[in-house]
Amino acid sequence: MPRTTETASFQFNHTMIRVRDPDVSVKFYTEILGMDLLSKNNMGDYTLYFLAFDQGQNYKDISEEEKDKAKFAREGVLELTHNHGTETDASFAGYSSGNSDPGRGFGHIAITVNDVEEACARFETLGVQFKKRPQDGKMRHIAFILDPDGYWIEVVPSSLKL
Amino acid sequence: MPRTTETASFQFNHTMIRVRDPDVSVKFYTEILGMDLLSKNNMGDYTLYFLAFDQGQNYKDISEEEKDKAKFAREGVLELTHNHGTETDASFAGYSSGNSDPGRGFGHIAITVNDVEEACARFETLGVQFKKRPQDGKMRHIAFILDPDGYWIEVVPSSLKL
Protein backbone atom coordinates (compact mmCIF):
# COMPACT_ATOMS: atom_id res chain seq x y z
CA MET A 1 0.00 0.00 0.00
CA PRO A 2 1.62 3.27 -1.06
CA ARG A 3 2.17 5.81 1.67
CA THR A 4 -0.28 8.38 0.27
CA THR A 5 -2.56 8.67 -2.71
CA GLU A 6 -0.31 11.47 -4.03
CA THR A 7 2.58 9.05 -4.48
CA ALA A 8 0.56 5.95 -5.35
CA SER A 9 1.65 5.95 -9.00
CA PHE A 10 5.36 6.46 -8.30
CA GLN A 11 7.83 3.82 -9.49
CA PHE A 12 11.62 3.72 -9.24
CA ASN A 13 11.93 3.43 -13.00
CA HIS A 14 15.60 3.73 -13.88
CA THR A 15 19.20 4.49 -13.00
CA MET A 16 21.35 6.37 -15.48
CA ILE A 17 25.11 5.96 -15.96
CA ARG A 18 27.31 7.38 -18.69
CA VAL A 19 29.29 4.96 -20.84
CA ARG A 20 32.30 5.55 -23.04
CA ASP A 21 31.56 3.03 -25.81
CA PRO A 22 27.96 1.87 -26.21
CA ASP A 23 28.87 -1.09 -28.43
CA VAL A 24 31.00 -2.54 -25.65
CA SER A 25 28.54 -1.66 -22.86
CA VAL A 26 25.37 -2.85 -24.59
CA LYS A 27 27.15 -6.12 -25.45
CA PHE A 28 28.15 -6.49 -21.77
CA TYR A 29 24.68 -5.79 -20.36
CA THR A 30 22.85 -7.96 -22.90
CA GLU A 31 25.19 -10.89 -23.51
CA ILE A 32 26.89 -11.17 -20.14
CA LEU A 33 24.17 -9.96 -17.77
CA GLY A 34 21.25 -11.04 -19.95
CA MET A 35 19.32 -7.78 -20.09
CA ASP A 36 17.19 -6.84 -23.09
CA LEU A 37 17.74 -3.64 -25.02
CA LEU A 38 14.36 -1.87 -24.93
CA SER A 39 15.27 1.14 -27.02
CA LYS A 40 18.06 3.21 -28.49
CA ASN A 41 17.23 6.91 -28.70
CA ASN A 42 19.48 9.29 -30.62
CA MET A 43 19.08 12.71 -28.99
CA GLY A 44 21.53 14.64 -31.18
CA ASP A 45 24.80 14.93 -29.28
CA TYR A 46 24.10 11.84 -27.25
CA THR A 47 22.29 8.54 -27.50
CA LEU A 48 20.33 6.79 -24.76
CA TYR A 49 20.12 3.02 -24.39
CA PHE A 50 17.43 1.57 -22.12
CA LEU A 51 17.88 -1.97 -20.84
CA ALA A 52 16.01 -4.24 -18.43
CA PHE A 53 15.71 -7.86 -17.45
CA ASP A 54 12.72 -9.59 -18.94
CA GLN A 55 10.64 -10.43 -15.89
CA GLY A 56 7.59 -11.79 -17.65
CA GLN A 57 7.31 -8.87 -20.07
CA ASN A 58 7.87 -11.16 -23.10
CA TYR A 59 10.23 -8.75 -24.83
CA LYS A 60 11.05 -11.41 -27.41
CA ASP A 61 7.42 -11.52 -28.52
CA ILE A 62 6.38 -7.87 -28.58
CA SER A 63 6.99 -5.23 -31.23
CA GLU A 64 9.77 -2.65 -31.05
CA GLU A 65 7.14 -0.01 -30.42
CA GLU A 66 5.59 -1.91 -27.52
CA LYS A 67 9.05 -2.59 -26.07
CA ASP A 68 9.93 1.07 -26.36
CA LYS A 69 6.72 2.09 -24.62
CA ALA A 70 7.21 -0.51 -21.89
CA LYS A 71 10.41 1.10 -20.65
CA PHE A 72 8.68 3.79 -18.58
CA ALA A 73 6.04 1.42 -17.23
CA ARG A 74 8.23 -0.71 -14.95
CA GLU A 75 11.02 -0.67 -12.40
CA GLY A 76 14.56 -2.01 -12.78
CA VAL A 77 15.52 -0.19 -15.97
CA LEU A 78 19.12 0.80 -16.70
CA GLU A 79 19.74 3.86 -18.86
CA LEU A 80 23.13 4.19 -20.53
CA THR A 81 24.06 7.63 -21.86
CA HIS A 82 26.60 7.82 -24.66
CA ASN A 83 27.99 11.28 -25.29
CA HIS A 84 29.05 10.98 -28.91
CA GLY A 85 32.78 10.84 -29.51
CA THR A 86 34.05 9.48 -26.20
CA GLU A 87 34.57 6.05 -27.74
CA THR A 88 37.23 7.38 -30.13
CA ASP A 89 38.66 10.23 -28.02
CA ALA A 90 42.14 9.17 -26.89
CA SER A 91 42.27 12.05 -24.41
CA PHE A 92 39.03 11.00 -22.70
CA ALA A 93 39.93 10.15 -19.10
CA GLY A 94 37.01 7.82 -18.50
CA TYR A 95 34.12 8.04 -16.07
CA SER A 96 34.24 7.90 -12.28
CA SER A 97 32.83 4.80 -10.60
CA GLY A 98 31.80 7.04 -7.70
CA ASN A 99 33.89 5.04 -5.25
CA SER A 100 36.95 7.23 -4.77
CA ASP A 101 37.62 10.90 -4.10
CA PRO A 102 37.04 13.23 -5.78
CA GLY A 103 33.74 12.00 -7.10
CA ARG A 104 32.59 9.71 -4.30
CA GLY A 105 28.82 9.41 -4.12
CA PHE A 106 27.09 6.77 -6.18
CA GLY A 107 28.37 3.34 -5.20
CA HIS A 108 27.05 0.54 -7.36
CA ILE A 109 24.16 -1.19 -9.00
CA ALA A 110 23.31 -4.70 -7.86
CA ILE A 111 21.85 -7.78 -9.46
CA THR A 112 20.37 -10.61 -7.46
CA VAL A 113 20.92 -14.14 -8.76
CA ASN A 114 19.90 -17.59 -7.59
CA ASP A 115 23.45 -18.87 -7.28
CA VAL A 116 26.35 -16.43 -6.85
CA GLU A 117 29.10 -19.08 -7.25
CA GLU A 118 27.58 -20.33 -10.48
CA ALA A 119 27.00 -16.82 -11.84
CA CYS A 120 30.58 -15.82 -10.99
CA ALA A 121 32.08 -18.96 -12.53
CA ARG A 122 30.30 -18.01 -15.76
CA PHE A 123 31.47 -14.36 -15.50
CA GLU A 124 35.03 -15.63 -15.01
CA THR A 125 34.80 -17.77 -18.15
CA LEU A 126 33.48 -14.77 -20.09
CA GLY A 127 36.46 -12.65 -19.01
CA VAL A 128 34.58 -10.28 -16.72
CA GLN A 129 36.74 -8.20 -14.38
CA PHE A 130 36.16 -8.68 -10.66
CA LYS A 131 36.43 -6.10 -7.90
CA LYS A 132 35.77 -8.83 -5.35
CA ARG A 133 35.34 -12.56 -5.97
CA PRO A 134 32.98 -14.46 -3.65
CA GLN A 135 35.95 -16.04 -1.85
CA ASP A 136 37.73 -12.68 -1.26
CA GLY A 137 37.30 -10.69 1.93
CA LYS A 138 34.77 -11.13 4.66
CA MET A 139 31.48 -11.27 2.80
CA ARG A 140 31.75 -14.69 1.12
CA HIS A 141 28.20 -14.73 -0.18
CA ILE A 142 28.53 -11.69 -2.46
CA ALA A 143 30.79 -10.52 -5.30
CA PHE A 144 31.48 -7.31 -7.17
CA ILE A 145 32.17 -7.32 -10.89
CA LEU A 146 33.16 -4.34 -13.03
CA ASP A 147 31.31 -3.19 -16.09
CA PRO A 148 33.31 -1.95 -19.13
CA ASP A 149 33.57 1.58 -17.68
CA GLY A 150 34.61 0.32 -14.26
CA TYR A 151 31.23 0.79 -12.54
CA TRP A 152 30.78 -1.69 -9.70
CA ILE A 153 28.03 -4.29 -10.03
CA GLU A 154 27.25 -6.21 -6.86
CA VAL A 155 26.17 -9.82 -7.31
CA VAL A 156 23.89 -10.85 -4.46
CA PRO A 157 21.98 -14.07 -3.76
CA SER A 158 18.20 -13.49 -3.88
CA SER A 159 18.05 -15.49 -0.64
CA LEU A 160 20.44 -13.15 1.24
CA LYS A 161 19.38 -12.19 4.73
CA LEU A 162 21.36 -9.22 6.06
CA MET B 1 11.91 -14.57 -21.92
CA PRO B 2 15.39 -14.17 -20.46
CA ARG B 3 18.23 -14.33 -22.94
CA THR B 4 19.73 -17.59 -21.60
CA THR B 5 18.96 -20.05 -18.83
CA GLU B 6 22.20 -18.94 -17.11
CA THR B 7 20.83 -15.45 -16.56
CA ALA B 8 17.17 -16.37 -16.12
CA SER B 9 17.16 -15.61 -12.40
CA PHE B 10 18.92 -12.25 -12.68
CA GLN B 11 17.13 -9.12 -11.44
CA PHE B 12 18.31 -5.51 -11.31
CA ASN B 13 17.77 -5.39 -7.58
CA HIS B 14 19.15 -2.10 -6.31
CA THR B 15 21.14 1.08 -6.79
CA MET B 16 23.37 2.30 -3.98
CA ILE B 17 24.18 5.93 -3.16
CA ARG B 18 25.98 7.33 -0.12
CA VAL B 19 24.13 9.85 2.04
CA ARG B 20 25.46 12.33 4.55
CA ASP B 21 22.58 12.29 7.05
CA PRO B 22 20.26 9.26 7.01
CA ASP B 23 17.57 10.95 9.09
CA VAL B 24 17.19 13.63 6.46
CA SER B 25 17.46 11.23 3.50
CA VAL B 26 15.13 8.53 4.82
CA LYS B 27 12.57 11.24 5.60
CA PHE B 28 12.89 12.55 2.04
CA TYR B 29 12.56 9.17 0.33
CA THR B 30 9.67 7.99 2.52
CA GLU B 31 7.64 11.13 3.18
CA ILE B 32 8.26 13.06 -0.02
CA LEU B 33 8.73 10.26 -2.57
CA GLY B 34 6.54 7.74 -0.77
CA MET B 35 8.96 4.80 -0.59
CA ASP B 36 8.84 2.29 2.25
CA LEU B 37 11.85 1.60 4.44
CA LEU B 38 12.40 -2.17 4.13
CA SER B 39 15.32 -2.46 6.52
CA LYS B 40 18.05 -0.64 8.39
CA ASN B 41 21.23 -2.68 8.77
CA ASN B 42 24.02 -1.50 11.06
CA MET B 43 27.25 -2.91 9.63
CA GLY B 44 29.65 -1.41 12.20
CA ASP B 45 31.19 1.68 10.64
CA TYR B 46 28.25 2.22 8.35
CA THR B 47 24.53 1.61 8.20
CA LEU B 48 22.52 0.55 5.16
CA TYR B 49 18.94 1.65 4.50
CA PHE B 50 16.92 -0.24 1.88
CA LEU B 51 13.86 1.46 0.42
CA ALA B 52 11.35 0.65 -2.31
CA PHE B 53 7.96 1.63 -3.58
CA ASP B 54 5.20 -0.70 -2.52
CA GLN B 55 4.04 -2.16 -5.82
CA GLY B 56 1.58 -4.68 -4.47
CA GLN B 57 3.99 -6.10 -1.88
CA ASN B 58 1.73 -5.00 1.01
CA TYR B 59 4.59 -3.71 3.13
CA LYS B 60 2.12 -2.25 5.59
CA ASP B 61 0.70 -5.69 6.31
CA ILE B 62 3.78 -7.91 6.53
CA SER B 63 6.20 -8.40 9.42
CA GLU B 64 9.55 -6.64 9.71
CA GLU B 65 11.23 -9.97 8.98
CA GLU B 66 9.22 -10.57 5.82
CA LYS B 67 9.87 -6.99 4.70
CA ASP B 68 13.57 -7.42 5.32
CA LYS B 69 13.66 -10.66 3.33
CA ALA B 70 11.64 -9.12 0.49
CA LYS B 71 14.30 -6.56 -0.31
CA PHE B 72 16.48 -8.96 -2.34
CA ALA B 73 13.52 -10.55 -4.10
CA ARG B 74 12.47 -7.63 -6.30
CA GLU B 75 13.67 -4.83 -8.56
CA GLY B 76 13.54 -1.08 -7.92
CA VAL B 77 15.25 -1.01 -4.52
CA LEU B 78 17.28 1.99 -3.38
CA GLU B 79 20.14 1.38 -0.95
CA LEU B 80 21.41 4.35 1.06
CA THR B 81 24.81 3.97 2.71
CA HIS B 82 25.55 6.11 5.75
CA ASN B 83 29.21 6.22 6.76
CA HIS B 84 28.91 7.06 10.44
CA GLY B 85 29.95 10.55 11.40
CA THR B 86 29.41 12.44 8.14
CA GLU B 87 26.21 13.97 9.49
CA THR B 88 28.10 15.85 12.22
CA ASP B 89 31.45 16.38 10.45
CA ALA B 90 31.71 20.08 9.62
CA SER B 91 34.71 19.39 7.34
CA PHE B 92 32.82 16.84 5.25
CA ALA B 93 32.68 18.23 1.72
CA GLY B 94 29.57 16.31 0.66
CA TYR B 95 29.08 13.68 -2.01
CA SER B 96 29.34 14.12 -5.77
CA SER B 97 26.15 13.95 -7.80
CA GLY B 98 28.19 12.43 -10.62
CA ASN B 99 27.25 15.24 -12.98
CA SER B 100 30.36 17.43 -13.01
CA ASP B 101 34.09 16.86 -13.34
CA PRO B 102 35.92 15.42 -11.59
CA GLY B 103 33.57 12.63 -10.69
CA ARG B 104 31.31 12.51 -13.72
CA GLY B 105 29.82 9.08 -14.32
CA PHE B 106 26.55 8.22 -12.62
CA GLY B 107 23.85 10.63 -13.69
CA HIS B 108 20.57 10.18 -11.88
CA ILE B 109 17.83 7.93 -10.67
CA ALA B 110 14.36 8.39 -12.11
CA ILE B 111 10.84 7.94 -10.90
CA THR B 112 7.89 7.62 -13.22
CA VAL B 113 4.63 9.23 -12.14
CA ASN B 114 1.17 9.52 -13.63
CA ASP B 115 1.17 13.31 -13.67
CA VAL B 116 4.45 15.25 -13.65
CA GLU B 117 2.82 18.67 -13.16
CA GLU B 118 0.82 17.44 -10.18
CA ALA B 119 3.81 15.62 -8.65
CA CYS B 120 5.98 18.72 -9.08
CA ALA B 121 3.38 21.07 -7.61
CA ARG B 122 3.38 18.86 -4.51
CA PHE B 123 7.21 18.77 -4.41
CA GLU B 124 7.22 22.57 -4.63
CA THR B 125 4.83 22.84 -1.67
CA LEU B 126 7.03 20.47 0.33
CA GLY B 127 10.10 22.63 -0.30
CA VAL B 128 11.94 20.22 -2.61
CA GLN B 129 14.84 21.71 -4.57
CA PHE B 130 14.57 21.60 -8.35
CA LYS B 131 17.35 21.18 -10.88
CA LYS B 132 14.80 21.67 -13.66
CA ARG B 133 11.13 22.45 -13.35
CA PRO B 134 8.77 21.04 -16.01
CA GLN B 135 8.45 24.48 -17.63
CA ASP B 136 12.24 25.06 -17.80
CA GLY B 137 14.29 24.22 -20.87
CA LYS B 138 13.33 22.19 -23.87
CA MET B 139 11.92 19.00 -22.36
CA ARG B 140 8.64 20.28 -20.91
CA HIS B 141 7.32 16.88 -19.97
CA ILE B 142 10.05 16.01 -17.45
CA ALA B 143 11.60 17.53 -14.33
CA PHE B 144 14.66 16.99 -12.18
CA ILE B 145 14.51 17.38 -8.42
CA LEU B 146 17.42 17.16 -6.00
CA ASP B 147 17.60 14.81 -3.05
CA PRO B 148 19.11 16.08 0.25
CA ASP B 149 22.67 15.24 -0.92
CA GLY B 150 22.14 16.87 -4.31
CA TYR B 151 21.65 13.67 -6.31
CA TRP B 152 19.47 14.25 -9.34
CA ILE B 153 16.08 12.54 -9.48
CA GLU B 154 14.34 12.66 -12.83
CA VAL B 155 10.54 12.84 -12.74
CA VAL B 156 9.12 11.23 -15.87
CA PRO B 157 5.56 10.55 -16.98
CA SER B 158 4.84 6.80 -17.21
CA SER B 159 3.24 7.55 -20.57
CA LEU B 160 6.39 9.16 -22.03
CA LYS B 161 7.30 8.10 -25.53
CA LEU B 162 10.87 9.04 -26.46
Side-chain angles (χ1 to χ4, degrees):
Chain A
M1 190 187 306
R3 190 163 294 267
T4 64
T5 51
E6 287 104 324
T7 64
S9 75
F10 292 12
Q11 290 192 300
F12 178 7
N13 174 246
H14 71 253
T15 295
M16 187 279 265
I17 54 176
R18 297 172 177 89
V19 301
R20 178 180 195 149
D21 186 334
D23 289 347
V24 174
S25 294
V26 169
K27 190 176 166 72
F28 175 86
Y29 283 102
T30 56
E31 297 185 9
I32 294 180
L33 288 200
M35 297 179 105
D36 282 281
L37 180 65
L38 303 188
S39 78
K40 171 181 172 176
N41 302 89
N42 189 322
M43 311 295 282
D45 295 338
Y46 60 99
T47 299
L48 307 177
Y49 297 80
F50 289 89
L51 300 115
F53 288 110
D54 192 325
Q55 307 284 330
Q57 282 91 356
N58 299 312
Y59 291 134
K60 294 285 181 298
D61 302 325
I62 66 176
S63 68
E64 291 303 306
E65 194 184 335
E66 286 172 303
K67 214 155 61 175
D68 184 59
K69 200 174 162 187
K71 70 175 182 278
F72 293 121
R74 57 163 292 171
E75 299 198 309
V77 175
L78 181 67
E79 178 185 15
L80 306 180
T81 295
H82 171 226
N83 291 308
H84 299 166
T86 50
E87 75 283 15
T88 52
D89 180 359
S91 69
F92 178 69
Y95 290 119
S96 166
S97 80
N99 292 298
S100 56
D101 288 316
R104 195 185 302 268
F106 166 72
H108 60 259
I109 58 173
I111 58 166
T112 44
V113 308
N114 278 351
D115 188 322
V116 170
E117 295 282 343
E118 195 176 282
C120 288
R122 178 174 162 275
F123 292 148
E124 197 87 62
T125 305
L126 295 170
V128 173
Q129 299 296 304
F130 281 77
K131 175 72 186 171
K132 177 205 171 304
R133 290 182 169 76
Q135 64 270 28
D136 299 336
K138 282 182 296 183
M139 301 179 87
R140 299 282 160 121
H141 44 288
I142 65 160
F144 278 93
I145 57 174
L146 299 177
D147 98 333
D149 285 276
Y151 294 111
W152 297 14
I153 303 174
E154 187 178 11
V155 184
V156 185
S158 327
S159 59
L160 182 64
K161 184 83 177 59
L162 262 197
Chain B
M1 189 187 308
R3 190 163 293 267
T4 64
T5 51
E6 290 104 322
T7 63
S9 75
F10 293 12
Q11 290 192 301
F12 178 7
N13 174 247
H14 71 253
T15 295
M16 187 279 265
I17 54 175
R18 297 172 178 89
V19 300
R20 177 179 195 150
D21 186 334
D23 289 347
V24 174
S25 294
V26 169
K27 191 177 164 72
F28 175 86
Y29 284 103
T30 55
E31 296 183 10
I32 294 179
L33 288 200
M35 298 179 104
D36 282 281
L37 180 65
L38 303 187
S39 78
K40 171 180 171 176
N41 301 90
N42 189 322
M43 310 297 282
D45 295 338
Y46 61 99
T47 298
L48 306 177
Y49 297 80
F50 289 88
L51 300 115
F53 289 111
D54 193 324
Q55 306 285 329
Q57 283 91 355
N58 299 312
Y59 292 134
K60 294 284 182 298
D61 301 325
I62 67 176
S63 68
E64 290 303 305
E65 194 183 337
E66 286 172 304
K67 213 155 63 174
D68 184 59
K69 201 173 161 187
K71 70 176 182 278
F72 293 121
R74 59 164 291 171
E75 299 197 309
V77 175
L78 181 67
E79 178 185 14
L80 306 180
T81 295
H82 170 226
N83 292 307
H84 298 166
T86 50
E87 75 282 15
T88 52
D89 179 359
S91 69
F92 178 70
Y95 289 119
S96 167
S97 80
N99 292 299
S100 56
D101 288 316
R104 194 184 302 268
F106 165 73
H108 60 260
I109 59 173
I111 58 167
T112 44
V113 308
N114 277 352
D115 188 322
V116 170
E117 295 282 343
E118 195 177 280
C120 288
R122 177 173 161 275
F123 293 147
E124 198 86 62
T125 305
L126 295 171
V128 173
Q129 298 297 303
F130 281 77
K131 174 73 186 170
K132 177 205 170 303
R133 290 183 170 75
Q135 64 271 27
D136 299 335
K138 282 181 296 183
M139 302 179 86
R140 300 281 161 123
H141 44 289
I142 65 161
F144 279 93
I145 57 174
L146 299 177
D147 99 333
D149 285 276
Y151 294 112
W152 296 14
I153 302 174
E154 188 179 10
V155 184
V156 185
S158 328
S159 60
L160 182 64
K161 183 83 178 57
L162 263 195

Coordinates of all heavy atoms in Angstrom, one line a residue, chain A residues 20 22 49 56 93 99 102 106 112 136:
Chain A
R20 N 31.4 5.1 -22.0 CA 32.3 5.5 -23.0 C 32.0 5.0 -24.4 O 31.9 5.7 -25.4 CB 33.7 5.1 -22.7 CG 34.7 5.6 -23.7 CD 36.2 5.2 -23.4 NE 37.1 5.9 -24.2 CZ 38.3 6.3 -23.8 NH1 38.8 6.0 -22.6 NH2 39.1 7.0 -24.6
P22 N 29.2 2.6 -26.3 CA 28.0 1.9 -26.2 C 28.0 0.5 -26.8 O 27.3 -0.4 -26.3 CB 27.0 2.8 -27.0 CG 27.8 3.6 -27.9 CD 29.1 3.8 -27.2
Y49 N 20.4 4.4 -24.2 CA 20.1 3.0 -24.4 C 19.4 2.6 -23.1 O 19.9 2.8 -22.0 CB 21.4 2.2 -24.5 CG 22.2 2.5 -25.8 CD1 23.0 3.7 -25.8 CD2 22.1 1.7 -26.9 CE1 23.7 4.0 -26.9 CE2 22.9 2.1 -28.1 CZ 23.7 3.2 -28.1 OH 24.4 3.5 -29.2
G56 N 9.0 -11.5 -17.3 CA 7.6 -11.8 -17.7 C 7.0 -10.8 -18.6 O 5.8 -10.9 -19.0
A93 N 39.3 10.8 -20.3 CA 39.9 10.2 -19.1 C 39.1 9.0 -18.5 O 39.5 8.3 -17.6 CB 40.1 11.2 -18.0
N99 N 33.4 5.7 -6.5 CA 33.9 5.0 -5.3 C 35.2 5.5 -4.8 O 35.8 4.9 -3.9 CB 33.9 3.5 -5.5 CG 32.5 3.0 -5.6 OD1 31.7 3.1 -4.7 ND2 32.2 2.4 -6.8
P102 N 38.3 12.5 -5.8 CA 37.0 13.2 -5.8 C 36.0 12.5 -6.7 O 36.4 11.9 -7.6 CB 37.4 14.6 -6.4 CG 38.5 14.3 -7.3 CD 39.3 13.2 -6.7
F106 N 27.7 8.0 -5.7 CA 27.1 6.8 -6.2 C 28.1 5.6 -5.9 O 29.3 5.8 -6.0 CB 26.9 6.9 -7.7 CG 26.7 5.6 -8.4 CD1 25.4 5.0 -8.3 CD2 27.6 5.1 -9.3 CE1 25.2 3.8 -9.0 CE2 27.4 3.9 -10.0 CZ 26.2 3.3 -9.8
T112 N 20.5 -9.4 -8.3 CA 20.4 -10.6 -7.5 C 20.3 -11.8 -8.4 O 19.8 -11.7 -9.5 CB 19.1 -10.5 -6.6 OG1 18.0 -10.1 -7.4 CG2 19.3 -9.6 -5.4
D136 N 36.9 -13.8 -1.8 CA 37.7 -12.7 -1.3 C 37.0 -12.0 -0.1 O 35.8 -11.8 -0.1 CB 38.0 -11.6 -2.3 CG 38.8 -12.2 -3.5 OD1 39.5 -13.2 -3.4 OD2 38.7 -11.6 -4.6

